[in-house]
Amino acid sequence: MLIKGGRLIDPADNRDGLFDLLVEDGRVREVLDPGSATAGEVVDASGCWVLPGLIDMHAHLRDPGYEYKEDIETASRAAAAGGITTVACMANTDPVNDNPSVTQYILDKASGVGLVRVLPVGAMTKGLKGKELAEMGLMRRAGIVAVSDDGRPVLDAGLMRRALEYAATFSLPVILHCEETSLSARGVMNEGELSSRLGLAGIPAAAEEVMISRDVLLSQYTGVPIHVTHISTRGSLEIIRQAKQQGIPVTCDATPHHLLLTEDAVRTYDTNCKMNPPLRHEEDRHALIEGIRMSQVDCIATDHAPHARDEKDLDFDLAPFGIIGFQTLLPALMKLHQDHDIDFSQLLACVTRNPARILGIEGGTLAPGSRADIVIFDPAPRWTLSEDMILSRSRNTPFIGWTFTGKVVRTMLGGVTVYRAG
Amino acid sequence: MSWAHKDLIAIQDLSRDEILTILEASTSFKEISRRDIKKVPTLRGKTVVLLFYEASTRTRLSFELAAKRLSADTVALSASGSSFQKGETIMDAALNVLAMAPDCIVIRYPHAGLPQKLARELPCSVINAGDGTHEHPTQALLDMYSMKERFGSLEGLRVAIVGDIRHSRVARSNVYGLTKVGAHVTVVAPDTLLPPGIRGWGVEVSRELDPVLKDADVVMMLRVQKERIDEQFFPDEREYAYFYGLNRRRVDLMKEGAVIMHPGPMNRGVEITHDAADGDRSIILNQVENGVAVRMALLYLSMGGNVDAD
Ligand SMILES: [Zn+2]
Ligand SMILES: [Zn+2]
C-alpha cells in the first residue's frame, strides 16, 4: 500500500515534508520522495498530514467493573476516531489491575476488539490501597507496561521508595499522580479567590507540589526514573525543570484540558470542569504551554475519564472528577499550535516519540521498519464538537460547542484501517 | 426604576443601586408587618415553593411569613440533611417541583451552585436562601437593612465581622454587599478561618479583636461550629472564646451607639456571652423582624413587582 501526496510529520525520525509512505505487511517499508513509487493499493493523502498513530499514556477505560461508563470496545472506537493507536490504561478498575489475571483480561478483550493497542498499567500497591506492593513482576510478565497508583497516591514515603526500587527491578516505568491528599482534603476546584467566591472547597497548588518534591527527591536518592502525570501548576513545572537540570531522571505530562482551560470555566458550576488536579490559573496554563515549547513538559496525555451522565449531574461538591478526552486530543494540539504558535511537530512529539521512549514501547514513529500505526489528518476543516459525535459511552466533556480545526480522515493500526471519517 | 432580575442568587451579582433599591422597598413592607392586619393582596394567586434541603426553621418561617403576608400560596418541601443522589438528577427533581407551577422557588441547599443552576434552567423566580458556603443573600440584605435602619446610611459605616469567615456564607454575602454600598468592613479571625483570597475583596483583615472594637459601629459575630475543632481550624472553644469571643469586657470597649449583630443560631458561651447577646447593644431581635420585611420585598420584586407601584 502506498500512502501518497501527504505531508509526513514524524518527530522521532526528524521528518517534516512531502513524502510517500510504502506500507507492507503491517510495517512501513520505505519513506519515499513524492511520486517515486507506485503500488497496487494507493491511498491519496494529498492536502493531508500523515502522522504516527498517537500514544495516549494516561487513560481510564473503566473495564472491568464500570462498563456503564465505558468499556474497552467503546473506548477503542473513540480512541481510533481520535487518531490514537496506543492507549495506556490505568489500574483503577473493579477489580483493580493489581494481578496478572486482570492484566490478561484487559489484553484479551482489547485484542478481540482490535482497534487500538491497549497497554495496561498495573497498580503499584494491592487494591491501590497504598499499603502493600502489588505483584509487579507477574503483571509485567502478563503484559503491563508501567505501574501507577493514579488517583490514589501512595502517601507513605517509605513504601514509595520500595515501590520505586521494586518497579526498577522489572524495568517498569513508574507513573505518579502527585497529590498530598491531606492538603487537597475535600477540595473540588483550584484553591484561591475564585473558590472562595464560589463557595467551593479548594485544592491548593501545594497539594501537588509538595508530593512532586517528595517524589523527585526519592527519584534522586534511588536513581529510579519517575514520570509525573498531569502536572497542573507553574510550581510543579518549576520543580521538575530544576530536577531535570540536576540530572534527576524525571519526566512529566500535562493534559489538554489543563493546557486549554482555566478555573474560570468553573464559574457556572459545570461539573464537566471538575477534574483532579483541578483547572488552575491562567499563569499556570501559560507556564505549561511554555513548558511544552521548551521541551520541559515531555508528553501530553488525556487522562480520559468517562463518567455517566447521572454521576456528573450532581452538585459540584459531589460529582466525580474527570472528563473524557480521546476525540479532542488532536484538535487540542491543533489549537495549541495555532493559538500559541508552537511547532506542530513539537506538539506531536508529546504524543508519539516521547511517550514511546518513556514507556519503552514500540511505536510513535513511521521510520522505515516501524509498525504502520498511521493517522491521516486533514488540517483544513473547521468543525464544532457536538454530543452526537462522541463515540465514548460517556459524554462528559467541557468542549461541547467548541470549534476546532482539522479532522482525522483515517486511522490505521498495523496497516489496517480501523477508523475512516464518514 | 423597575426590577430587572427574575432571581436572587448572590449579592455578588447585584449593583450598589440594586442593593439600595431592595433596602428601600423593604421599608414599605416593614410598615405592613406593623399593621393590625398584616396582610396585603399583592401576590394573591401566586405560588411560592419553599425547598429546604437543610435544616433551618428560622429562615423557612421567615420566608413563609413573608409570602403569606403578601397573600401568596406556599408549599414547603423539606428534606433535611439530604441532597440529590445518583439516580435522581438535579434536573429531575427541579422538574418535579416545576409541575407544581410555582411562580417562585425559595431554596436552601447544603452545596454551592444549585440555586444558580435552577435559575438558569427554570422559568420561575429562584431565591437563594443559602447554598453551601457560597452565599446567603437575603440574610445579608436583612443585615444591611438593620444597619441602615439604625444608622441612616451605610456609607462609611464601620462593620467588624468576627469569626469563621471561611465557612460562612452569611459573612461572604455581607462582605460583598457592604463593600459595594461603601461601608468599611474589617474581618476578624485567625488565619485558618479566612477564605483564601479575601485580601482582594476590599476588606481589612485583623487577627485581633480588641483593637477593632473601639472603632466599629457594628460588630457582627458569627456562629462557630464544633466540627471546625475536629478539623483543626482552632484548638478548642476555650481558646477561641478567649481571643475571638464577645464578652462583657469587650462590649465595654465598643464605642457609644455601636451595636451587636448575630445571624443566629448563637453558640452562647463560645462566640458570644449571654450578657453580650441580650444586652442593650444587641439588635439581634431586630434582625429577625427585619428579615420578614426584606423577604417580602424580595418576593415582590422577583415576581414582577414594580418599585414605584403601590
Ligand atoms: Zn490522576
Ligand atoms: Zn487518571
Side-chain angles (χ1 to χ4, degrees):
Chain A
M1 177 174 60
L2 187 71
I3 301 171
K4 59 172 256 187
R7 171 184 166 194
L8 175 69
I9 311 175
D10 182 4
D13 199 27
N14 253 317
R15 258 182 229 273
D16 184 350
L18 293 175
F19 293 99
D20 292 353
L21 215 56
L22 186 64
V23 173
E24 271 178 23
D25 301 326
R27 296 214 165 241
V28 176
R29 173 70 181 267
E30 270 184 283
V31 179
L32 302 152
D33 286 331
S36 60
T38 54
E41 191 193 349
V42 172
V43 174
D44 183 8
S46 310
C48 290
W49 296 353
V50 178
L51 318 172
L54 273 49
I55 299 169
D56 184 358
M57 67 182 300
H58 186 152
H60 300 268
L61 305 190
R62 307 301 191 204
D63 190 353
Y66 305 100
E67 292 85 353
Y68 66 94
K69 298 176 195 248
E70 185 87 291
D71 63 31
I72 286 169
E73 185 175 348
T74 54
S76 297
R77 286 189 197 292
I84 297 165
T85 51
T86 300
V87 172
C89 62
M90 290 298 164
N92 63 337
T93 46
D94 183 17
V96 169
N97 184 20
D98 62 1
N99 66 79
S101 57
V102 176
T103 306
Q104 197 57 54
Y105 163 86
I106 294 168
L107 287 169
D108 287 348
K109 185 155 178 187
S111 70
V113 173
L115 296 174
V116 296
R117 302 181 199 283
V118 173
L119 307 179
V121 174
M124 291 172 74
T125 66
K126 285 184 180 137
L128 300 172
K129 290 198 167 85
K131 301 270 187 248
E132 311 158 81
L133 296 180
E135 294 171 339
M136 298 185 203
L138 291 175
M139 286 194 286
R140 177 57 134 175
R141 291 192 53 181
I144 62 167
V145 296
V147 287
S148 178
D149 271 12
D150 180 48
R152 300 277 302 276
V154 175
L155 301 178
D156 182 319
L159 183 63
M160 178 57 88
R161 175 208 174 159
R162 296 277 177 256
L164 292 179
E165 290 170 339
Y166 195 71
T169 311
F170 298 95
S171 306
L172 280 165
V174 176
I175 301 173
L176 298 175
H177 165 135
C178 291
E179 177 186 356
E180 173 48 65
T181 53
S182 66
L183 282 170
S184 49
R186 289 193 299 252
V188 294
M189 71 171 288
N190 183 40
E191 179 168 292
E193 200 268 343
L194 185 61
S195 65
S196 294
R197 260 188 197 283
L198 293 174
L200 295 172
I203 300 174
E208 181 173 313
E209 294 158 7
V210 161
M211 203 52 123
I212 293 179
S213 302
R214 182 198 78 173
D215 290 345
V216 161
L217 292 173
L218 289 174
S219 168
Q220 180 179 34
Y221 183 59
T222 59
V224 177
I226 57 170
H227 177 83
V228 182
T229 190
H230 54 47
I231 66 167
S232 71
T233 75
R234 194 176 64 161
S236 297
L237 183 62
E238 183 55 26
I239 295 163
I240 288 168
R241 195 186 62 76
Q242 287 181 21
K244 286 182 171 189
Q245 248 171 19
Q246 294 171 50
I248 302 170
V250 51
T251 52
C252 68
D253 69 66
T255 71
H257 42 279
H258 289 104
L259 294 165
L260 292 181
L261 292 164
T262 67
E263 62 168 8
D264 244 15
V266 179
R267 281 183 192 278
T268 56
Y269 299 94
D270 179 358
T271 56
N272 285 334
C273 297
K274 180 177 177 181
M275 51 284 275
N276 187 13
L279 299 173
R280 303 287 190 183
H281 296 293
E282 183 66 8
E283 61 165 33
D284 296 303
R285 185 177 87 91
H286 264 274
L288 295 180
I289 290 170
E290 289 315 301
I292 286 173
R293 200 194 305 280
M294 309 296 288
S295 301
Q296 293 155 357
V297 174
D298 302 276
C299 303
I300 297 173
T302 64
D303 199 3
H304 178 83
H307 291 293
R309 188 180 300 272
D310 62 342
E311 294 172 308
K312 275 292 197 182
D313 192 11
L314 288 173
D315 296 294
F316 203 90
D317 280 343
L318 305 178
F321 292 101
I323 62 168
I324 59 169
F326 287 156
Q327 289 173 265
T328 43
L329 175 58
L330 250 181
L333 299 187
M334 270 304 264
K335 194 160 174 53
L336 290 166
H337 165 58
Q338 292 175 327
D339 295 356
H340 300 278
D341 197 30
I342 305 179
D343 213 24
F344 187 80
S345 70
Q346 181 156 26
L347 290 159
L348 188 64
C350 293
V351 290
T352 54
R353 181 193 66 198
N354 299 353
R357 283 185 187 164
I358 289 165
L359 293 174
I361 57 171
E362 198 188 346
T365 179
L366 294 175
S370 320
R371 255 182 350 215
D373 294 355
I374 302 169
V375 188
I376 302 176
F377 181 72
D378 181 348
R382 294 194 30 97
W383 57 283
T384 300
L385 181 68
S386 60
E387 271 203 24
D388 58 295
M389 297 174 181
I390 292 170
L391 299 176
S392 282
R393 181 156 290 141
S394 298
R395 295 173 175 191
N396 50 311
T397 167
F399 296 119
I400 301 283
W402 280 47
T403 296
F404 293 104
T405 307
K407 276 199 134 164
V408 173
V409 176
R410 196 198 276 230
T411 306
M412 285 183 247
L413 191 72
V416 177
T417 298
V418 289
Y419 171 79
R420 235 180 143 145
Chain B
M1 141 186 201
S2 70
W3 189 248
H5 300 285
K6 171 173 85 73
D7 314 293
L8 176 69
I9 305 305
I11 300 288
Q12 294 175 71
D13 302 342
L14 299 178
S15 69
R16 172 183 177 277
D17 286 350
E18 287 167 336
I19 292 170
L20 294 176
T21 298
I22 295 168
L23 300 185
E24 214 151 286
S26 304
T27 306
S28 32
F29 288 102
K30 179 154 183 184
E31 186 265 320
I32 294 169
S33 297
R34 292 195 160 167
R35 287 181 196 168
D36 233 13
I37 296 168
K38 301 176 178 54
K39 199 160 183 163
V40 291
T42 317
L43 294 181
R44 183 175 294 155
K46 303 272 188 187
T47 302
V48 177
V49 173
L50 305 167
L51 210 51
F52 275 64
Y53 279 84
E54 197 179 65
S56 165
T57 318
R58 287 155 3 101
T59 305
R60 187 174 55 79
L61 286 180
S62 179
F63 267 108
E64 202 164 343
L65 209 53
K68 290 200 160 124
R69 285 185 181 166
L70 295 169
S71 304
D73 297 317
T74 59
V75 184
L77 290 173
S78 300
S80 146
S82 74
S83 48
F84 298 109
Q85 296 301 329
K86 195 183 154 196
E88 188 195 31
T89 69
I90 289 170
M91 287 321 291
D92 283 346
L95 291 174
N96 273 328
V97 172
L98 207 58
M100 293 180 229
D103 298 282
C104 179
I105 293 175
V106 175
I107 179 153
R108 156 73 58 107
Y109 196 65
H111 301 284
L114 181 59
Q116 190 197 86
K117 278 189 183 170
L118 291 182
R120 208 164 43 224
E121 303 284 341
L122 302 183
C124 64
S125 293
V126 176
I127 294 179
N128 180 7
D131 62 330
T133 49
H134 178 223
E135 284 227 33
H136 192 349
T138 66
Q139 177 72 42
L141 288 164
L142 78 86
D143 290 339
M144 285 189 274
Y145 181 83
S146 305
M147 294 178 211
K148 189 161 184 282
E149 186 180 54
R150 187 72 168 212
F151 295 96
S153 167
L154 297 170
E155 185 107 36
L157 197 72
R158 301 186 76 86
V159 181
I161 305 178
V162 186
D164 188 358
I165 319 285
R166 186 183 184 104
H167 301 96
S168 169
R169 55 193 174 206
V170 173
R172 288 169 197 221
S173 289
N174 265 299
V175 165
Y176 304 136
L178 287 164
T179 51
K180 279 183 179 176
V181 298
H184 182 101
V185 180
T186 305
V187 297
V188 185
D191 288 19
T192 46
L193 292 179
L194 290 174
I198 191 172
R199 284 178 172 81
W201 292 359
V203 298
E204 261 186 63
V205 178
S206 173
R207 289 165 172 157
E208 281 182 87
L209 179 52
D210 286 5
V212 173
L213 289 175
K214 65 179 195 312
D215 290 327
D217 297 299
V218 177
V219 177
M220 182 184 293
M221 303 305 296
L222 300 172
R223 180 180 170 78
V224 171
Q225 275 159 327
K226 295 210 186 343
E227 67 203 72
R228 306 298 171 220
I229 299 172
D230 302 336
E231 295 162 356
Q232 300 303 312
F233 284 97
F234 59 93
D236 53 35
E237 288 181 351
R238 182 171 75 160
E239 175 146 324
Y240 184 86
Y242 182 85
F243 288 99
Y244 299 102
L246 192 59
N247 51 29
R248 164 154 301 170
R249 181 185 68 79
R250 290 203 165 109
V251 171
D252 290 341
L253 295 177
M254 290 170 66
K255 73 178 181 192
E256 174 105 19
V259 299
I260 297 166
M261 299 177 73
H262 193 301
M266 286 180 276
N267 251 332
R268 287 168 185 265
V270 186
E271 76 267 8
I272 193 163
T273 56
H274 284 286
D275 38 7
D278 307 328
D280 299 339
R281 293 181 183 276
S282 168
I283 59 165
I284 293 168
L285 290 176
N286 299 52
Q287 287 175 269
V288 177
E289 184 192 1
N290 291 335
V292 179
V294 169
R295 286 169 178 131
M296 286 169 80
L298 288 168
L299 288 170
Y300 171 74
L301 292 172
S302 302
M303 281 184 274
N306 193 298
V307 183
D308 295 327
D310 187 41

